[in-house]
């Protein structure tokens, strides 16, 4: 626990010193700008859910990878290999710090879309769950990446898969939702839609989506820790 707290303080310092925080502010501002430019006023709930989904997806899949690759180049994994801190503490600290970032930016998008204060009771837990899932996916993608080219190629097919559930979200392929449901982003869109308008998603659907994301989060954390442990051993040689 002490190692996790120390690494978490380090991660918060790195967020302030690196380009991640200003990049997040820019991406959030761009998403909010698109929302405000919509000619129909406040967007429909499913459209709002889509715009909010873009924020953690951008942070999780793009910014996380760039940050970890930068740390690899700077020898962070070399240093971690000779410290008593476990890879699980490293992954958890990075996941928590970046999830807080996704929550803050997501609440801003929710507020802009609603033209007012976001509903914290519904939207805060939804962002915490979806944001942590997106960050873990990003960490899983970069864990074994040895270069920017390697990371970009990985993110290309991962992003393509994660955006497929938008076809069901916007009813482009009605009746085919079951085929896309195994993709974690489908559950993320369900949770975010319920956070905007609970009546659009049945209680059973909400519970299933939350449970599925929790399982994906646990499995993703386990796999990512294993991958980083392997990377730390390799980098530390």
């Amino acid at each position: 626990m002490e190692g996790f707290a120390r690494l978490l303080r380090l991660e918060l310092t790195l967020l302030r010193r690196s380009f991640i925080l200003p990049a997040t502010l820019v991406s959030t501002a761009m998403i909010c700008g698109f929302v405000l430019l919509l000619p129909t006023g406040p967007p429909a709930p499913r459209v709002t859910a889509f715009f909010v989904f873009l924020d953690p997806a951008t942070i999780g899949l793009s910014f996380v990878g760039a940050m970890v690759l930068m740390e690899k180049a700077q020898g962070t994994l070399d240093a971690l290999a000779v410290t008593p801190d476990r890879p699980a503490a490293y992954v958890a600290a990075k996941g928590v710090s970046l999830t807080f970032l996704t929550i803050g930016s997501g609440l801003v998008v929710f507020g802009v879309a609603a033209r007012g204060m976001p509903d914290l009771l519904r939207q805060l837990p939804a962002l915490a769950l979806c944001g942590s899932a997106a960050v873990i996916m990003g960490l899983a993608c970069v864990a074994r990446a040895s270069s920017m080219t390697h990371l970009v190629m990985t993110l290309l097919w991962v992003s393509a898969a994660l955006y497929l559930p938008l076809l069901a979200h916007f009813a482009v392929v009605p009746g085919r939702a079951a085929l896309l449901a195994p993709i974690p982003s489908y559950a993320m869109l369900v949770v975010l839609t319920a956070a905007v308008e609970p009546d659009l998603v049945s209680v059973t659907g909400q519970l299933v989506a939350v449970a599925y994301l929790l399982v994906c989060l646990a499995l993703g954390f386990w796999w990512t820790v294993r991958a980083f442990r392997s990377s730390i051993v390799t980098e530390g040689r």
Side-chain angles (χ1 to χ4, degrees):
M1 192 66 182
E2 181 181 350
F4 167 75
R6 181 172 59 253
L7 287 172
L8 182 58
R9 289 194 297 270
L10 175 62
E11 290 299 328
L12 295 175
T13 301
L14 290 174
L15 282 178
R16 291 196 302 269
R17 294 178 178 176
S18 69
F19 66 91
I20 301 299
L21 188 55
T24 300
L25 293 175
V26 170
S27 68
T28 302
M30 291 178 63
I31 293 172
C32 291
F34 282 122
V35 173
L36 293 173
L37 287 174
L38 291 176
T40 56
R46 292 190 183 278
V47 177
T48 298
F50 163 68
F51 278 117
V52 176
F53 169 77
L54 287 178
D55 217 37
T58 300
I59 294 173
L61 292 181
S62 302
F63 298 164
V64 171
M67 186 177 187
V68 173
L69 276 184
M70 181 177 64
E71 290 178 2
K72 286 186 176 185
Q74 292 172 347
T76 300
L77 295 185
D78 292 347
L80 195 61
V82 295
T83 67
D85 296 323
R86 297 179 179 274
Y90 172 80
V91 174
K94 192 168 291 295
V96 169
S97 63
L98 290 164
T99 297
F100 276 124
L101 202 59
T102 66
I103 292 173
S105 57
L107 286 176
V108 171
V109 178
F110 265 131
V112 170
R115 307 297 196 267
M117 285 295 296
D119 188 336
L120 296 180
L121 290 179
R122 291 202 313 263
Q123 294 166 5
L124 189 59
L127 284 170
L129 181 57
C130 296
S132 57
V135 169
I136 284 295
M137 282 188 277
L139 288 172
C141 289
V142 74
R144 296 184 184 274
S146 56
S147 65
M148 181 58 74
T149 301
H150 187 183
L151 176 62
V152 169
M153 293 304 297
T154 301
L155 291 179
L156 280 176
W157 65 265
V158 171
S159 299
L162 290 177
Y163 284 108
L164 276 177
L166 288 172
L167 297 175
H169 182 68
F170 289 117
V172 177
V173 286
R176 306 292 183 183
L179 298 176
L180 301 173
I183 303 175
S185 52
Y186 180 90
M188 293 172 67
L189 288 165
V190 170
V191 170
L192 292 173
T193 300
V196 182
E197 182 53 67
D199 293 339
L200 291 178
V201 183
S202 67
V203 174
T204 301
Q206 295 179 41
L207 292 176
V208 170
V210 169
Y212 186 65
L213 280 179
L214 289 173
V215 171
C216 290
L217 188 57
L219 291 176
F221 181 80
W222 170 79
W223 190 93
T224 303
V225 169
R226 283 192 61 194
F228 269 103
R229 184 180 293 117
S230 175
S231 296
I232 289 170
V233 171
T234 303
E235 297 284 343
R237 288 175 180 172

